[in-house]
Amino acid sequence: MNDKIIDLSWDSEFFGFPVSKIENVTLSKTFLKSVHLNCKAKLIYYYNDEALDEKLFDNSFYEVKLVDIKVPLKKVLDKETNIHPNISFYQETEAGKELIELAQIAGVHTRFNIDGNIPKVKYRDLFTEWIERSVKKEIADFILVYKINNKIVGFAIIDIRQNSPYISLFAVHPDYEGKGISFALMRAIENKLRDWGYKEVFGATQQVNRKALVVYERYGLKRLPSQYVYHLWKRDNL
């Protein structure tokens, strides 16, 4: 049992209660009962390649919530691109107000905002910390920003530490949508990665975030098999 449950120390510290995760294990009410008895986690992230049978939602052990259908994406870097003059690397040592606002916008459709059991302030704090740690290069390698009149109106965070470049956060301010900023950022990402010898780039978004999916697919990213993400909240009535 224990080898199927992974404790998440960072998440536990951030939320202030034990958090764990389970991946691609067949769930049953018997299994959920065993987990309930043996796992201290108040919240368990459950990732699976298929949707759960909704009969599992009616159980005495966990409140089961479908919080995301994650759509992974991939693009082969197969063409020369240019970098728009409004785009540059973010070089500051701290995340400014504009960048923090964009990071929170990037998280609007994520499970941490969708799940009503998580306070909105924690969702905002989570994405604030994400961008602050990214600026310090603790969890990302570089950040590209798009500026208009010295104001940051779009950004992208790219992590290449696993030798497979991954766009971890991406957003354009709603006031500046429809001006080609998303495509300009994608072209800049492609340009830099090609220069550094990479052949492909990966990303992901939520199925409900249709606007982002349209942008990615129009630019040439292809969908990979979706992943279903659930939050299992421990019931304390036993």
Side-chain angles (χ1 to χ4, degrees):
M1 169 64 68
N2 291 339
D3 61 340
K4 298 177 181 178
I5 303 172
I6 301 171
D7 294 332
L8 302 175
S9 57
W10 188 92
D11 299 64
S12 299
E13 183 177 351
F14 177 80
F15 286 112
F17 51 77
V19 181
S20 299
K21 74 173 181 177
I22 303 174
E23 296 182 292
N24 288 322
V25 173
T26 301
L27 291 191
S28 65
K29 290 186 179 181
T30 300
F31 182 85
L32 290 176
K33 180 180 180 180
S34 180
V35 173
H36 191 278
L37 291 172
N38 294 284
C39 178
K40 295 180 179 180
K42 178 179 178 179
L43 170 61
I44 298 176
Y45 307 150
Y46 176 67
Y47 306 88
N48 201 47
D49 294 337
E50 298 180 353
L52 285 175
D53 185 336
E54 291 190 3
K55 293 178 181 178
L56 281 173
F57 289 33
D58 181 20
N59 72 85
S60 303
F61 313 107
Y62 288 91
E63 178 187 6
V64 181
K65 305 180 73 172
L66 175 61
V67 289
D68 187 13
I69 302 176
K70 183 178 179 180
V71 182
L73 300 145
K74 172 183 175 181
K75 185 180 190 301
V76 176
L77 306 179
D78 57 357
K79 62 182 180 181
E80 296 289 341
T81 62
N82 298 315
I83 296 182
H84 194 283
N86 287 17
I87 292 177
S88 60
F89 287 109
Y90 189 79
Q91 303 286 10
E92 305 296 327
T93 57
E94 301 290 337
K97 180 180 178 181
E98 294 165 355
L99 204 55
I100 290 172
E101 181 183 8
L102 284 169
Q104 293 177 352
I105 289 171
V108 165
H109 294 286
T110 67
R111 56 197 172 97
F112 299 105
N113 189 39
I114 296 297
D115 189 340
N117 289 354
I118 297 176
K120 295 299 181 184
V121 65
K122 295 303 288 185
Y123 138 70
R124 290 190 290 269
D125 288 348
L126 175 62
F127 284 89
T128 298
E129 184 155 349
W130 191 333
I131 192 64
E132 289 175 342
R133 294 182 66 196
S134 296
V135 165
K136 296 175 182 177
K137 300 188 184 303
E138 294 177 5
I139 57 173
D141 291 285
F142 66 93
I143 302 173
L144 290 174
V145 294
Y146 190 108
K147 295 182 180 180
I148 295 179
N149 297 326
N150 289 320
K151 177 181 179 180
I152 299 174
V153 299
F155 86 115
I157 298 178
I158 297 87
D159 182 9
I160 57 177
R161 299 180 188 194
Q162 302 302 318
N163 208 36
S164 296
Y166 187 84
I167 305 169
S168 59
L169 279 186
F170 187 104
V172 173
H173 195 283
D175 292 346
Y176 293 87
E177 290 178 351
K179 299 181 182 297
I181 296 173
S182 294
F183 278 18
L185 284 166
M186 291 301 302
R187 285 193 293 269
I189 293 168
E190 189 160 7
N191 180 289
K192 291 299 181 184
L193 293 178
R194 280 177 56 87
D195 284 351
W196 295 336
Y198 292 98
K199 305 296 184 184
E200 55 193 12
V201 63
F202 294 85
T205 191
Q206 300 78 37
Q207 183 170 287
V208 295
N209 192 356
R210 301 193 181 281
K211 189 179 294 184
L213 274 174
V214 168
V215 170
Y216 282 135
E217 291 185 315
R218 284 181 58 193
Y219 189 74
L221 278 82
K222 305 298 183 184
R223 292 195 193 197
L224 300 174
S226 297
Q227 184 180 52
Y228 293 80
V229 185
Y230 296 84
H231 283 175
L232 278 57
W233 291 92
K234 192 171 190 176
R235 300 189 193 276
D236 296 323
N237 58 345
L238 295 181

